[in-house]
Amino acid sequence: MSTTVEKHPFQAEVNEVLSIVVNSLYSHREVFLRELISNASDAIDHLNLDALSSPTLLGEDKELRIELIPDRAAGTLLIRDNGRGMTREALIANLGTIARSGTKKLMQSLSAEQKKDVAMIGQFGVGFYSAFLVADTVTVTSRAAGSDTAWVWQSQARGDFEVRPGERASRGTDIVLQLKEDAKEYLDEWSLREVVRKYSDYVRWPIRMQVERGEGEAKKTEWDTINEGSALWMRAKSEVTHDQYVEFYKQTSHDWTEPMAWTHFKVEGTHELAGILFLPTKAPMDIGDRKKGGVRLFVKRVFIMDDAQEILPEWLRFVRGVVDSEDLPLNVSREILQKDATTRFIKKQVVQKTLNLLEELAKEGEAEVEVDGVKQMKNRYLDFWREFGRVLKEGVYHDAASREQLARLLRYESSAGKSLTGLQDYVSRMQPDQKAIYYITADSLTTAQASPHIEALKKSNYEVLFMSDPIDEWLVDVLRQFEGKDLCSASKGDLDLPESEQEKLNKEEQQKDLGPILSRIHKVLDQQVKEVRVTDRLTDSPACLVTDRDGMSTSMERRLREAGHAVPEQKRILELNPKHAVVQRLRSIADLDDVKFQHWASLLHDQALLAEGVLPADPAGFARRIADLMAGA
Ligand code: ADP
């Protein structure tokens, strides 16, 4: 066997992570142990799973465990596991690059200034590299299960690491930390006990520590198991503390921020399962990626896979946690999961438990909650909504079975006030004569708020929901109703505003009266609009463009086109405000000058587009007509 030492540079992002970690005065640096024990436990989980199909993998070394060996004389702490181990290639790939896209993206998005900020490291898990919070030199000796060679990985976090052949009696991984001068407390038995109890008590595999007992001649070393070791999700809720849930979340999710809330459940009956589902506080960088996410799947306490997406719909991809089934076969694969009827049952349960948790949070409103040991007033649901509302909305579109429950969880800005409102609250505020729930879709909140389409609604004290998220268009399209009330777009068809007999008469009168002018305008705009009519929708603006009740909204049309769909040109209806001075003046112009009339008609149309945030088809022509008009005035 060669004894050559190879040097490898770290990937650039690893160097950035390391430079933060190495220089960090991070106050919770004991988390390094949580991270390393978690990796060890994962390695054993994976081996245990593989051994189900090939029992010979275990060999003589059957007692799966994690060991801590502090060596005071040498100033080192050894963390050992007899899990699946790593090959030379795995060592180089796993401990030289960052696999997690979230961390990598976050790293790339940080400014040079932010990279100096030690508080940043708490925002993203740095896994293995957190060893350098307490160690100058880290030496990993690993032997992969089924292989007869061991490899050593060593680094001082100065841009590169070394790899060389090594010795290890059996499979597994040894991590030796040469502790920094100011980190010698992690050689102390009681400090280690405390850290393990705090962060890793629930780890299912025994964590044994080598301790010294007796004095002088009678001095001897023995092994002491220092964790409770039962799966947290199998314990009764009353036996699990707030901090244990928080630590469990941090360990299983790679997120160092406290979770916002969780639900711990057991389902009994024809199918049995238990689990804990967490809502994170912050959305990860890759939340837009529909193929990401998932929870950890266990079968009868045996770890099966990370990120089981089969038991979680895409629109709940932010949920983290574990699900443990009594019914799935131990050799379950992704392919089996995709077809198995039990999977559908589990998925349904996971959806239900999560939606119930969300409903509870929504009901809670503003309340006192504890975050990082500090009590504070928070509206957790609105915080959740701002981070993940967009993803949840996908559920309304995709999941007909959950649609009704999800509709109650939607939140929008509205003309009623500054804060977000739900549909139930909207309905409770409806005017006695109001029949529908009104909304306006636009590219931004400001455009929605200023839309001419909602002028009359606001005047009648009808609340309007502002929808500025592209998915909202799809959402209202499938939702259509809430609690028996139609969802009605302020920019479509007739608004059904209450009108007295007199008002109705007036409108007919005006339509008749302006008739010749309306048809002249239509002639000018024949290519752009399909009808010109008077409206009572407007109070302050002279004109707006509306769609038929079942027509596609313009923003939807635009989005579809941007997405590459061939959407046929849809003509809309130009509605005029008969009371507006501009419309009044059209009468006098109509008799004078044809060119001027054409300009006015075009301007009316183009400014209606502008009010929706849409550029007229011929912006230069629009500008010229405005200039002419100004010069004339
Ligand atoms: P993460 O655990 O989030 O993937 P880490 O940086 O902590 O990131 O570890 C990177 C990878 O190195 C792990 O995913 C795993 O494949 C491997 N690894 C780390 N520690 C061990 C270990 N004790 N045994 C086997 N593999 C390990």
Side-chain angles (χ1 to χ4, degrees):
M1 194 190 293
S2 98
T3 51
T4 31
V5 177
E6 310 164 22
K7 261 194 198 303
H8 295 266
F10 282 118
Q11 178 197 31
E13 286 84 15
V14 175
N15 272 327
E16 310 219 50
V17 165
L18 284 174
S19 84
I20 296 180
V21 170
V22 168
N23 301 314
S24 146
L25 298 170
Y26 189 57
S27 54
H28 303 292
R29 60 183 188 170
E30 77 264 20
V31 296
F32 82 93
L33 197 57
R34 169 186 79 192
E35 298 296 313
L36 298 182
I37 288 179
S38 162
N39 282 347
S41 167
D42 289 351
I44 299 177
D45 275 340
H46 281 283
L47 176 81
N48 189 44
L49 177 64
D50 295 342
L52 289 173
S53 47
S54 25
T56 51
L57 266 187
L58 288 180
E60 297 300 302
D61 196 6
K62 288 197 171 53
E63 195 197 328
L64 299 173
R65 62 189 185 276
I66 298 162
E67 289 175 351
L68 303 182
I69 306 173
D71 183 336
R72 282 189 162 276
T76 58
L77 174 65
L78 165 61
I79 296 119
R80 165 177 293 161
D81 69 72
N82 55 355
R84 67 167 160 183
M86 283 176 273
T87 59
R88 174 183 165 277
E89 290 68 34
L91 275 172
I92 296 170
N94 293 337
L95 311 185
T97 55
I98 292 180
R100 241 179 296 131
S101 60
T103 308
K104 202 165 147 183
K105 276 202 199 128
L106 182 61
M107 217 49 233
Q108 287 162 346
S109 72
L110 295 182
S111 67
E113 216 28 60
Q114 284 171 311
K115 280 177 187 163
K116 285 190 209 131
D117 181 1
V118 294
M120 287 306 300
I121 77 163
Q123 287 192 19
F124 53 98
V126 293
F128 169 79
Y129 305 108
S130 63
F132 289 100
L133 285 168
V134 294
D136 298 317
T137 304
V138 177
T139 311
V140 182
T141 306
S142 196
R143 182 169 148 189
S147 157
D148 50 12
T149 45
W151 290 88
V152 178
W153 175 106
Q154 189 171 54
S155 179
Q156 291 173 326
R158 297 203 188 115
D160 56 15
F161 58 91
E162 281 177 18
V163 176
R164 59 173 183 271
E167 293 291 327
R168 204 178 186 285
S170 161
R171 57 140 215 280
T173 304
D174 279 12
I175 299 179
V176 177
L177 307 178
Q178 184 68 54
L179 293 173
K180 293 182 186 177
E181 259 331 295
D182 62 357
K184 293 283 156 71
E185 72 219 65
Y186 301 111
L187 294 171
D188 175 62
E189 176 188 335
W190 298 102
S191 307
L192 288 171
R193 266 180 203 280
E194 205 182 294
V195 178
V196 169
R197 193 165 314 123
K198 181 166 170 197
Y199 296 104
S200 312
D201 196 38
Y202 74 87
V203 168
R204 302 183 312 123
W205 308 105
I207 303 173
R208 307 196 310 180
M209 181 165 57
Q210 201 171 57
V211 295
E212 288 185 351
R213 293 288 179 260
E215 289 294 325
E217 284 288 287
K219 197 164 167 174
K220 58 175 194 283
T221 55
E222 46 187 63
W223 291 106
D224 201 357
T225 300
I226 57 175
N227 62 326
E228 167 86 27
S230 68
L232 194 75
W233 57 92
M234 298 307 287
R235 299 186 201 167
K237 276 188 224 177
S238 56
E239 283 168 24
V240 187
T241 65
H242 176 99
D243 290 351
Q244 280 174 320
Y245 281 120
V246 169
E247 279 316 317
F248 178 71
Y249 166 77
K250 288 186 183 175
Q251 249 191 50
T252 47
S253 68
H254 299 302
D255 179 0
W256 289 17
T257 312
E258 280 205 11
M260 163 138 8
W262 53 85
T263 170
H264 180 177
F265 63 92
K266 275 203 176 73
V267 178
E268 275 152 359
T270 36
H271 289 290
E272 284 185 29
L273 74 148
I276 309 177
L277 301 171
F278 292 92
L279 301 176
T281 299
K282 286 258 160 249
M285 300 286 283
D286 53 6
I287 188 67
D289 188 342
R290 296 215 166 85
K291 295 286 161 249
K292 287 286 162 65
V295 292
R296 286 196 167 191
L297 177 66
F298 284 73
V299 172
K300 300 191 190 72
R301 258 67 65 220
V302 177
F303 166 83
I304 303 294
M305 65 181 76
D306 276 320
D307 307 336
Q309 291 164 356
E310 293 74 10
I311 56 170
L312 197 69
E314 276 176 12
W315 54 272
L316 285 181
R317 58 183 173 276
F318 49 81
V319 172
R320 296 286 174 271
V322 294
V323 171
D324 190 344
S325 158
E326 299 292 322
D327 310 299
L328 286 169
L330 277 171
N331 62 354
V332 69
S333 62
R334 289 199 190 271
E335 292 68 44
I336 298 178
L337 268 186
Q338 278 158 14
K339 289 186 217 120
D340 200 288
T342 317
T343 313
R344 281 194 292 281
F345 173 82
I346 298 177
K347 193 169 179 175
K348 223 165 134 187
Q349 293 296 324
V350 168
V351 168
Q352 207 44 60
K353 302 294 174 206
T354 311
L355 290 181
N356 292 349
L357 172 63
L358 289 173
E359 283 209 301
E360 263 168 50
L361 281 186
K363 270 197 210 107
E364 177 187 273
E366 180 129 359
E368 192 179 78
V369 288
E370 194 184 315
V371 182
D372 286 324
V374 185
K375 291 214 164 79
Q376 42 191 278
M377 293 304 284
K378 268 186 174 302
N379 187 322
R380 290 194 287 173
Y381 187 70
L382 293 189
D383 289 347
F384 160 82
W385 180 258
R386 290 188 186 100
E387 286 293 310
F388 301 105
R390 257 206 154 114
V391 181
L392 205 63
K393 283 177 188 173
E394 292 172 20
V396 179
Y397 187 73
H398 291 290
D399 188 343
S402 307
R403 196 164 289 154
E404 217 182 294
Q405 208 175 352
L406 277 169
R408 292 198 292 272
L409 291 167
L410 296 171
R411 294 294 179 270
Y412 289 103
E413 321 268 349
S414 95
S415 58
K418 281 196 192 78
S419 79
L420 290 160
T421 183
L423 294 176
Q424 270 171 320
D425 286 338
Y426 178 106
V427 170
S428 72
R429 282 189 296 262
M430 278 170 70
Q431 299 298 323
D433 55 1
Q434 186 179 344
K435 291 194 205 82
I437 298 172
Y438 293 100
Y439 67 88
I440 178 93
T441 57
D443 287 348
S444 70
L445 179 61
T446 341
T447 316
Q449 283 166 330
S451 166
H453 294 110
I454 64 172
E455 286 173 3
L457 289 169
K458 274 172 35 192
K459 202 172 161 214
S460 314
N461 273 327
Y462 285 6
E463 188 175 343
V464 184
L465 298 172
F466 300 136
M467 302 189 172
S468 51
D469 194 351
I471 192 172
D472 288 327
E473 299 264 7
W474 304 95
L475 185 151
V476 285
D477 218 36
V478 295
L479 198 58
R480 287 180 181 265
Q481 286 202 330
F482 179 79
E483 291 184 352
K485 309 267 186 304
D486 281 342
L487 287 164
C488 180
S489 165
S491 67
K492 281 187 189 174
D494 194 6
L495 288 186
D496 249 349
L497 291 173
E499 56 188 352
S500 63
E501 277 309 308
Q502 190 52 49
E503 283 169 326
K504 216 182 254 165
L505 266 166
N506 284 349
K507 199 164 129 192
E508 281 162 18
E509 196 65 18
Q510 284 157 344
Q511 178 82 24
K512 221 187 306 149
D513 182 31
L514 280 169
I517 292 186
L518 297 178
S519 45
R520 263 189 85 185
I521 299 177
H522 191 186
K523 237 197 218 143
V524 178
L525 299 173
D526 188 41
Q527 296 300 310
Q528 289 108 308
V529 303
K530 70 171 184 193
E531 190 188 336
V532 182
R533 68 185 182 204
V534 293
T535 185
D536 50 11
R537 188 188 311 260
L538 301 167
T539 57
D540 303 326
S541 306
C544 68
L545 285 156
V546 301
T547 320
D548 283 337
R549 202 172 250 285
D550 296 316
M552 192 187 285
S553 80
T554 27
S555 39
M556 175 82 116
E557 208 180 309
R558 200 148 17 98
R559 272 172 197 136
L560 283 173
R561 251 188 227 120
E562 278 162 11
H565 296 276
V567 188
E569 192 72 42
Q570 230 198 155
K571 283 190 189 170
R572 287 196 289 165
I573 301 160
L574 180 69
E575 289 194 340
L576 301 184
N577 175 0
K579 295 190 204 87
H580 200 280
V582 169
V583 178
Q584 298 286 342
R585 275 207 60 196
L586 269 173
R587 289 170 196 275
S588 49
I589 294 163
D591 303 329
L592 291 174
D593 178 344
D594 202 39
V595 180
K596 202 166 183 187
F597 183 85
Q598 285 173 18
H599 281 188
W600 276 61
S602 301
L603 279 172
L604 269 179
H605 175 260
D606 288 351
Q607 61 84 32
L609 277 178
L610 270 182
E612 293 176 3
V614 179
L615 214 54
D618 171 18
F622 175 73
R624 204 174 341 102
R625 282 190 281 275
I626 288 275
D628 287 351
L629 196 70
M630 289 165 88

